[in-house]
Amino acid sequence: MKPSTPLQRRIIGAIIAAKGLQEMKEDIVSNFSNGRATSSSNLYYAEADAIIRHLGMDKGREDPAYKMRGKILSLAHQLDWHVAGTQKIDFPRLNAWCVKFGYLHKRLDQYKYRELPTLVTQFEKMYNDFIKKL
């Protein structure tokens, strides 16, 4: 698993400070790492990303469809589906997968809320199959 980045750790610290949650930081990190870590420097990339998304979530991102797409993006990060030399998701690659293998054969952003659970399940299966091959 890819470790968290220094930028992610700074963002987590800034969000926690801005929200006055300094005393809860170890608990937050522990919860998002399933008890594996208490310091943000020991988080995996996806765990740090989940904390940032959760703590920095705005109202437009609270809908369940956003969360399901976020699950797919998190798994894509773990698969290292990034634009070369960056930590940005390679959306053409992700969308190509969705069009080719997704059950409705359309881009990720075109899936509606009621369609996303099946796509998330498909992507998780592909991810788990990939991990088993390692």
Side-chain angles (χ1 to χ4, degrees):
M1 297 218 127
K2 183 179 277 188
S4 62
T5 66
L7 177 59
Q8 284 179 310
R9 294 189 293 271
R10 286 193 302 271
I11 292 170
I12 289 170
I15 293 171
I16 286 176
K19 294 192 176 213
L21 301 172
Q22 294 92 331
E23 293 179 13
M24 299 177 62
K25 184 176 180 182
E26 287 185 4
D27 291 333
I28 292 168
V29 170
S30 180
N31 284 335
F32 278 85
S33 67
N34 293 321
R36 185 186 52 73
T38 57
S39 169
S40 61
S41 62
N42 295 325
L43 288 171
Y44 293 130
Y45 185 92
E47 295 166 342
D49 188 55
I51 290 173
I52 293 166
R53 288 177 186 271
H54 180 76
L55 293 178
M57 190 178 295
D58 62 32
K59 290 184 181 181
R61 297 180 176 187
E62 290 177 3
D63 72 284
Y66 180 85
K67 291 180 182 179
M68 286 187 275
R69 286 186 189 97
K71 172 74 172 177
I72 291 173
L73 295 176
S74 177
L75 293 172
H77 270 295
Q78 292 178 48
L79 290 167
D80 201 26
W81 285 13
H82 300 115
V83 174
T86 72
Q87 289 296 313
K88 294 181 181 182
I89 288 291
D90 184 348
F91 277 99
R93 181 178 183 180
L94 177 60
N95 283 322
W97 184 92
C98 291
V99 169
K100 185 172 183 178
F101 299 107
Y103 78 108
L104 295 177
H105 306 287
K106 54 188 181 179
R107 293 187 336 250
L108 177 61
D109 62 333
Q110 294 175 328
Y111 277 84
K112 296 186 181 357
Y113 168 71
R114 69 181 181 283
E115 301 165 342
L116 282 166
T118 302
L119 182 67
V120 170
T121 300
Q122 281 185 292
F123 203 86
E124 286 175 327
K125 183 178 180 341
M126 178 273 299
Y127 172 81
N128 288 330
D129 290 345
F130 177 81
I131 295 299
K132 286 177 187 175
K133 291 178 184 177
L134 293 180

